[in-house]
Amino acid sequence: AYLYVIPITGIANPATPLVAADTMMALFGRTGVVLVSVFVMISSFSSLNGSMLASPRVFFAMADDGMFFATIAKVHPRFKTPYVAILLAAVLGIALVMSRSFEALTETFVLAIWPFYALGIAAIYRLRRLRPELPRPYKAIGYPVVPAIFILSVAAFVVNALIHEPIPTTITFALFLAGLPVFQFAFPRR
């Protein structure tokens, strides 16, 4: 959402929200627009499917480990699924969909998830320093340079969002940070 493309015609259109569609229109006409739209739709549904399957399991695992409310860890007696966690994810998803436009939701989702990806990558450094004896059945390609480049890229992305969209970006991070005091008071033993 923060990158602009100059179409083949040479005229910059920084106001367009449909960068891929405009580029494909300039390159291949309406067929290109339809194709890129189908690819974006498939990609969006795939990503959403993964998120909707994973998010309730994260809530469930946190509750099961005592880091979230115990009720969230309930498993359905017949289907053996974390039904309370699934309901929580559904309610949160509905609340988000009802509160914002599609474009605002996608920007918020991307901005919200990438810092956590960077933290996951940063954990490689910490794990290797604190637990050097653990077996390493996988290789972090280009370690330590490639993970550092990824982390720096995410930091640049967040700074760019803060510069160009300061209010929505601040609200997104304020919501995350609001969870810290709740966590401290609800789960003091952790």
Side-chain angles (χ1 to χ4, degrees), residues 24-181:
M24 292 301 282
M25 177 64 118
L27 293 173
F28 303 108
R30 289 219 28 92
T31 304
V33 173
V34 170
L35 280 175
V36 79
S37 299
V38 168
F39 292 145
V40 167
M41 182 181 66
I42 291 169
S43 175
S44 297
F45 286 144
S46 299
S47 176
L48 189 61
N49 183 41
S51 294
M52 287 308 297
L53 287 173
S55 296
R57 273 68 182 175
V58 170
F59 296 154
F60 170 79
M62 288 174 59
D64 197 43
D65 288 346
M67 298 175 69
F68 203 25
F69 303 106
T71 307
I72 308 294
K74 287 186 179 177
V75 175
H76 194 278
R78 179 174 169 208
F79 301 113
K80 307 295 183 206
T81 55
Y83 72 103
V84 177
I86 293 170
L87 288 172
L88 174 63
V91 167
L92 291 173
I94 290 168
L96 280 171
V97 166
M98 299 301 268
S99 69
R100 309 189 77 185
S101 69
F102 178 76
E103 289 81 11
L105 281 173
T106 54
E107 288 177 7
T108 300
F109 179 76
V110 168
L111 182 63
I113 201 73
W114 279 92
F116 290 101
Y117 290 157
L119 288 171
I121 296 299
I124 294 172
Y125 295 107
R126 183 173 167 85
L127 182 64
R128 288 183 180 221
R129 187 172 33 95
L130 294 178
R131 305 287 302 272
E133 76 283 356
L134 286 178
R136 309 271 187 250
Y138 64 92
K139 298 285 183 196
I141 299 171
Y143 179 84
V145 175
V146 172
I149 291 171
F150 179 79
I151 293 166
L152 290 172
S153 299
V154 171
F157 170 70
V158 170
V159 168
N160 187 40
L162 279 167
I163 291 169
H164 292 286
E165 302 265 344
I167 294 172
T169 303
T170 304
I171 290 171
T172 299
F173 286 116
L175 284 172
F176 286 148
L177 295 175
L180 290 175

